[in-house]
Structure formats: C-alpha cells, structure tokens
Amino acid sequence: MEKYDIVVIGGGIVGLATAYQLSLKKPDLKIGLLEKEESLASHQTGHNSGVIHSGLYYKPGSLKAKNCVDGYNRLIQFCDENDIKYELCGKIVVATDAFQIPQLDTLQSRGAQNGLEGIKRLIREQLHEYEPHVAGLAGLYVPQTGIIDYKEVAQKYAEKFKENGGEIKLGHKVVNIVSRGESKIVQTYKGDIETGMIVNCAGLYSDKIARMTGQQLNVKIIPFRGEYFELKPEKHNLVKNLIYPVPDPNFPFLGVHFTRMINGGIEAGPNAVLAFKREGYTKSDIDIPELVESLTWPGFIKVASKYWKTGFGEMYRSFSKSAFTNALQKLMPELQESDLIPGGAGVRAQACDKDGGLIDDFLILETKGVVNVCNAPSPAATSSLAIGNTVADKVVLQLA
C-alpha cells in the first residue's frame, strides 16, 4: 500500500493550487494528488469561461472577497513568472433598467471596499466609448477584469507541484475512506492509499467525499449547467472585451453576458439550469440517482419553490434560441438570432443547505486530519492560489 503524509483529492484548479502551495510550505512531506479522470482540469476548470475576476461583486470581509483580491494578485504574479498569457482588458457592468442604477452604487462601493482602484461610473453616452454596440442607462468600468486560459494555469500548477516532489495519480477515483488509528485509508479503483491528512477539493463531488471523511454536513452540491452560444466570426466586432449585466442580488449567478476569450472568439451566456447529472454538460446527460438526490434535497425544494419563475425562464432559454437571444438583446439590441452559433457548457457545483440557502461564499470545513473545501464557485479559479494558501495554512496548523 502506498503511503503519503498528505493526500489531496481532486485535480481541478483548486486542488492543484492547494497541492502546489502545500509543496512550498511542507517540502519535507510526501504529498500526493488523486484525480479520478485520466487528465487534469477535466470538469469545472476545463469548462471555465476564462475570466479573471476583480472582486467587484463580493461582500467585503467574506472569504470570496478576501481570496479573490489576494488570489487575483497571486495569479497575475504567477503568470508573469511562468510566461502564461493573460490580458487585463477590463469590463463594463451595464444597467439596462432604472431599478438597477442604485445597484451600481452598491457594486462601486463594494469594489472600493475590496481595494479596487480606477472603477469609473459611466453615463449612457460613455458606455459607447468602451463598447460601441451596447445599450444601457448607466454602467461601471472595471479595469482589473481580464481573460486567461485556466486549463493552462492548472497544468502549470501541476508542473510546479511535481517539480517540488509532489506526485499526481490519474484514474484514481475515490470510492471510500476508512480511518485506521491515526491514519486514513483512501480506497480507489486502483488500490488503497494510506495517509495522515486528507484535503478534499473534489468540486462537484466535494460533499460526497466530505461525508466519506466523517464530516457532518448541512449542504449538498446541486449541479447547475451553464450553456453558451458563440458569436459568428463576422460578428466579433460587436464586442470589444467583456460586457456584464447588473446581477440579481438574490441569485448567485451573474446573468447572460459577453466574454472575449484569450484564444479567440466571443462567448455569449450562460444561462443557469439544473443539470440532471453532476457532470451533465448536455441536455441528454442524465443520471437518475443523482437527479433524484437533487430533486429530493429539502433545500433544493425550497429553492425551486422560491425561484420557480426565474428557473422556468432559465430552462426556457435552454430550449429556445430566440429566448436566449432576447436576453442578450437587452445588452445589445442589434444582435440577431442568426449571429449566434452553439458554444460549450459548464457545470457549476453549487452548495445548497437544508433550509434552501444557496451558499454564496467559499465553504471550508475541518475535522481531525481533514480539510474539506465544500463550496468553491466562481471566482474560485481567479482565487485558486489564495484558496490553496488558506487551505495549506489550515493543514500546517493541524500538523503542528
């Protein structure tokens, strides 16, 4: 049986960043990372829209706010040191209705409290200076927002982790975890692994892994699929950089937006619909047991009853290209349905508590010998090095 001092479960960007940070803080320990797929960054990281988030939206003092701003700075430094391509192109947040204008004040205040400098309030005419084809009543320009390929970043984390002596084991799906004295036996499809410390960064399956470790949980991961269209190449001129709506403060999704991608192309979307499988990237991806788990979770039932109108609208847009186009036309009226071609999709691991709360902040829980990252939605990719540092510090404290 192989033995490690620390085992990280999950080969997405958060797991890899955590493993890398641990290898810097504890170079004397044997650290292994287990990934169930045959490649790294196969799920949330590999389906990410590639936005470097500034920290504009997040409640000051929250883990999201602290880790996004810290993670942003760490990410930029890491990319500069490792020749990873990125671009800080800025974005505009657009109010298309009068009731959204006061929310711009809130966003601007949050941005300032989170340390963002250079945010500009824009009147209608100024919006066109940044995005000539956008429509709106007012907006904010946020210079810190950028674009990047997070899969490339994740691969570089893996490379640096291995340079520091870390080991990565692909195809090692965890099926159970058993305590044996001071040790824990991680049972995988490719054999058992013994460790003194487990770090759970399993993303869409983080709640299931957490329960295997003995963690008492009041949350369940509910998968939400986000579907994108792309603009036809001849329509790329409609979007210069990134265009976002004012988000609904009651719903933890940012709404449909336009994103220029680092490797070319313009994405438009996403919507947010319940995925019928935790790794369900298409409408036909269905796992009956996982779907039943979601639908019968008391918290999801409460969420569905509270947001049924919003949910119905999102589902309708999933099946109706014209409805999806209508949503985008609020930001860009000249956009036509024929300008859109099918794009990719991602699945967001959204933690939902029993009382119907959609957990907005990062959620990191501990038991003896275990650190569980149970909720790491956007901006987790931007924040990855900061989250990894936070988790690594918790591990170091436990090992002291």
Side-chain angles (χ1 to χ4, degrees):
M1 186 189 308
E2 286 195 83
K3 295 184 180 181
Y4 292 93
D5 297 300
I6 305 169
V7 163
V8 178
I9 300 172
I13 197 166
V14 172
L16 289 163
T18 300
Y20 169 55
Q21 295 283 35
L22 281 166
S23 73
L24 294 174
K25 293 176 185 289
K26 285 297 195 180
D28 54 320
L29 297 184
K30 188 178 180 184
I31 306 170
L33 182 143
L34 309 181
E35 165 56 42
K36 70 184 178 70
E37 305 294 353
E38 294 296 340
S39 61
L40 296 169
S42 294
H43 292 291
Q44 291 188 100
T45 306
H47 294 80
N48 192 290
S49 62
V51 175
I52 302 174
H53 289 284
S54 61
L56 175 73
Y57 301 109
Y58 316 120
K59 184 178 179 182
S62 66
L63 281 177
K64 266 192 179 183
K66 292 175 182 175
N67 282 280
C68 187
V69 175
D70 180 25
Y72 173 97
N73 293 323
R74 289 174 183 267
L75 176 66
I76 298 304
Q77 182 180 348
F78 183 86
C79 290
D80 287 341
E81 291 172 351
N82 291 280
D83 297 319
I84 296 172
K85 180 173 65 173
Y86 68 92
E87 184 181 343
L88 298 179
C89 54
K91 75 172 178 183
I92 59 170
V93 181
V94 181
T96 55
D97 292 298
F99 73 86
Q100 295 175 326
I101 293 177
Q103 291 168 243
L104 290 176
D105 297 329
T106 301
L107 290 176
Q108 189 168 8
S109 174
R110 281 190 171 186
Q113 290 179 72
N114 289 337
L116 302 187
E117 298 178 355
I119 298 176
K120 292 181 186 177
R121 186 64 176 265
L122 306 175
I123 61 174
R124 185 199 301 260
E125 291 74 20
Q126 290 173 312
L127 288 172
H128 295 150
E129 295 175 15
Y130 292 91
E131 295 288 349
H133 300 276
V134 80
L137 304 177
L140 293 177
Y141 170 68
V142 186
Q144 290 85 358
T145 305
I147 53 177
I148 198 168
D149 181 348
Y150 281 118
K151 204 160 186 177
E152 182 182 354
V153 176
Q155 294 293 346
K156 182 59 70 170
Y157 291 166
E159 183 183 312
K160 304 291 280 187
F161 172 58
K162 289 191 285 188
E163 284 177 6
N164 293 343
E167 297 180 16
I168 294 176
K169 293 189 170 296
L170 301 175
H172 278 65
K173 181 177 180 178
V174 176
V175 293
N176 197 20
I177 297 170
V178 179
S179 293
R180 187 176 296 169
E182 292 297 309
S183 297
K184 300 179 188 304
I185 309 302
V186 182
Q187 299 174 345
T188 81
Y189 280 164
K190 292 190 176 180
D192 294 351
I193 294 169
E194 183 178 342
T195 184
M197 187 85 199
I198 291 175
V199 179
N200 165 23
C201 299
L204 285 156
Y205 287 93
S206 57
D207 56 337
K208 290 184 177 293
I209 298 295
R211 289 186 171 92
M212 289 181 193
T213 69
Q215 179 78 58
Q216 296 297 309
L217 277 186
N218 186 43
V219 300
K220 183 178 287 292
I221 294 296
I222 304 296
F224 285 91
R225 185 174 64 256
E227 300 159 328
Y228 288 88
F229 283 94
E230 292 184 19
L231 267 61
K232 288 182 175 178
E234 58 269 29
K235 294 295 181 178
H236 287 177
N237 66 298
L238 293 177
V239 178
K240 291 174 67 177
N241 290 300
L242 288 80
I243 306 169
Y244 279 68
V246 174
D248 182 344
N250 299 312
F251 209 55
F253 302 99
L254 293 177
V256 292
H257 49 269
F258 295 92
T259 306
R260 180 165 63 84
M261 296 180 285
I262 193 72
N263 295 316
I266 307 288
E267 277 190 334
N271 57 3
V273 297
L274 176 68
F276 298 155
K277 180 181 179 182
R278 293 205 184 201
E279 293 166 357
Y281 298 104
T282 69
K283 297 177 182 67
S284 59
D285 285 337
I286 300 174
D287 182 302
I288 297 300
E290 289 186 353
L291 178 58
V292 170
E293 271 188 28
S294 294
L295 294 176
T296 58
W297 177 244
F300 178 73
I301 294 170
K302 292 178 181 178
V303 168
S305 62
K306 183 177 180 182
Y307 294 113
W308 68 270
K309 283 186 179 179
T310 302
F312 180 79
E314 296 288 328
M315 189 66 74
Y316 180 55
R317 280 200 290 272
S318 177
F319 286 91
S320 170
K321 185 180 179 183
S322 63
F324 205 111
T325 305
N326 288 340
L328 292 167
Q329 284 172 333
K330 290 202 74 175
L331 290 169
M332 191 171 293
E334 68 187 88
L335 187 77
Q336 300 298 312
E337 188 174 334
S338 59
D339 298 334
L340 301 173
I341 55 177
V347 179
R348 173 187 176 126
Q350 176 62 56
C352 174
D353 67 27
K354 277 189 175 179
D355 298 322
L358 294 173
I359 309 301
D360 186 50
D361 206 359
F362 299 146
L363 180 63
I364 302 171
L365 303 173
E366 292 184 77
T367 57
K368 185 179 178 182
V370 182
V371 179
N372 286 299
V373 181
C374 290
N375 196 53
S378 178
T382 303
S383 310
S384 54
L385 285 172
I387 297 171
N389 186 65
T390 297
V391 173
D393 282 344
K394 291 179 181 295
V395 172
V396 170
L397 277 174
Q398 284 212 32
L399 293 174

